[in-house]
Amino acid sequence: QITTTIPVVITYSAPPRNTPVVFENRTERVSCRRALPRLPLLPCGRPNMVFPSLRSGAALAVAAALAVSVRGFAPPAAARAPGRPRPSRGRAPTLASAYGAGLDQDDLMSNDMCIAVDGSDGVVGRVSKREAHAWGPDAPRGVLHRAFSVFLFDGAGRMLLTRRSAEKITFPGVWTNACCSHPLHGRSPSEVDDPVRDYPEFPGTKAGAVRKLAHELGIVEGAVPPAALRFQRRFHYWAADTVTYGAAPPWGEHEVDYIFFAQCDGAGPDLAPDPEEVAAWRYVTREELQGLLADEGNGMLWSPWFRGIMER
């Protein structure tokens, strides 16, 4: 089975200039030794442009139609500038059984050990969450690492939206899908998947998703088990947080993002969000979501990965 994604450029706008969010062309190929064939990274160029390397006229037309923009907002007062990014291959700390207990956002940036990968999603080491997301002259797109985006639906088919807390260091205050985070090194059970052998179940990444659903939304064990998470696809993107930090942001995203959908019964699982993680939440129908995304006057800001996934 082959699933092909179309390369697009999505502009995340903020004065004084726009910075593009770039989605790479990727092909999932079950029988291939490398699940994500290595392709050259698309360069960050002028805003709202579709790069000339896309040769298909149909692809160009679709990509152009998917360009979107989001207005900026004030940065949080507690935002902290990163140190110089250096990939770490040391031993990852093992957090308490209740993940994140007693830790604030700055602690998690240092303690969480993300899975550093190459352009084919092959594991190359570990890197702290802080180092992975720090952008600067020595690391203009941070360090490429794995992430996941979980979409939850209730029995009526409504999608759960969450608003990221103002305490979040990257993209605070934006609306997005139910849960967005990272599988980590040093966890038990292991959250490090082999991109070929573990396709398409990815038990490690699912374990990380269940962990974060409990941490961010207070979803009790068993309410959304790993078996309920259905893998859709993964994609490679990067996005500078110019909305929060201006033209020279110290933070950004550079991820191979694994997308999972979960269909829940009734009104969905009981939620008890951690205010350090989630500021607000709501379920929406397809039509309501389309209206929210189209209404530029409603004051809602959207994460670049969510907007990109929804437009595609």
Side-chain angles (χ1 to χ4, degrees), residues 128-146:
S128 74
K129 185 177 177 182
R130 182 183 305 280
E131 293 168 326
H133 293 82
W135 286 40
D138 294 337
R141 297 191 187 111
V143 178
L144 179 59
H145 57 282
R146 282 185 188 161

Side-chain angles (χ1 to χ4, degrees), residues 247-302:
W251 303 108
E253 301 285 359
H254 190 186
E255 299 176 330
V256 173
D257 195 5
Y258 287 56
I259 304 172
F260 295 98
F261 283 10
Q263 176 66 60
C264 304
D265 295 328
D270 292 334
L271 304 180
D274 181 344
E276 279 258 335
E277 298 286 337
V278 176
W281 59 272
R282 61 188 291 188
Y283 280 96
V284 294
T285 65
R286 179 192 297 267
E287 293 73 24
E288 288 170 339
L289 177 58
Q290 290 172 338
L292 293 173
L293 289 169
D295 183 1
E296 296 185 357
N298 61 18
M300 297 180 73
L301 298 161
W302 304 92

Side-chain angles (χ1 to χ4, degrees), residues 1 36 47 65 107 298:
Q1 179 181 0
L36 291 176
D107 295 329
N298 61 18

Side-chain angles (χ1 to χ4, degrees), residues 37-86:
R38 184 170 180 81
L39 296 175
L41 296 180
L42 298 179
C44 285
R46 299 188 305 276
N48 292 323
M49 70 176 289
V50 179
F51 295 107
S53 60
L54 312 182
R55 298 181 179 178
S56 165
L60 286 171
V62 173
L66 296 181
V68 299
S69 63
V70 182
R71 293 187 306 279
F73 65 107
R80 305 189 183 187
R84 188 177 189 179
R86 294 186 301 273

Side-chain angles (χ1 to χ4, degrees), residues 3-9 23-26 42 54 56 58-64 66 233 312:
T3 303
T4 303
T5 60
I6 297 174
V8 301
V9 178
F23 290 79
E24 269 202 281
N25 176 35
R26 288 297 177 192
L42 298 179
L54 312 182
S56 165
L60 286 171
V62 173
L66 296 181
R233 65 177 58 192
R312 297 167 77 199

Side-chain angles (χ1 to χ4, degrees), residues 12 14 17 19-21 44 73-86 104-112 114 127-143 145 164 166-172 182 237-255 304-305:
Y12 201 58
R17 64 184 177 87
T19 298
V21 177
C44 285
F73 65 107
R80 305 189 183 187
R84 188 177 189 179
R86 294 186 301 273
D104 62 17
Q105 293 297 314
D106 195 59
D107 295 329
L108 293 173
M109 291 290 277
S110 299
N111 281 272
D112 282 2
C114 295
V127 61
S128 74
K129 185 177 177 182
R130 182 183 305 280
E131 293 168 326
H133 293 82
W135 286 40
D138 294 337
R141 297 191 187 111
V143 178
H145 57 282
R164 290 166 65 85
E167 301 300 316
K168 301 287 279 186
I169 294 175
T170 58
F171 296 98
H182 313 87
Y237 81 101
W238 63 81
D241 192 357
T242 56
V243 171
T244 308
Y245 299 102
W251 303 108
E253 301 285 359
H254 190 186
E255 299 176 330
W305 58 90

Side-chain angles (χ1 to χ4, degrees), residues 89 115-118 122-126 143-144:
R89 294 177 184 267
I115 301 168
V117 296
D118 60 21
V123 178
V124 297
R126 67 189 72 205
V143 178
L144 179 59

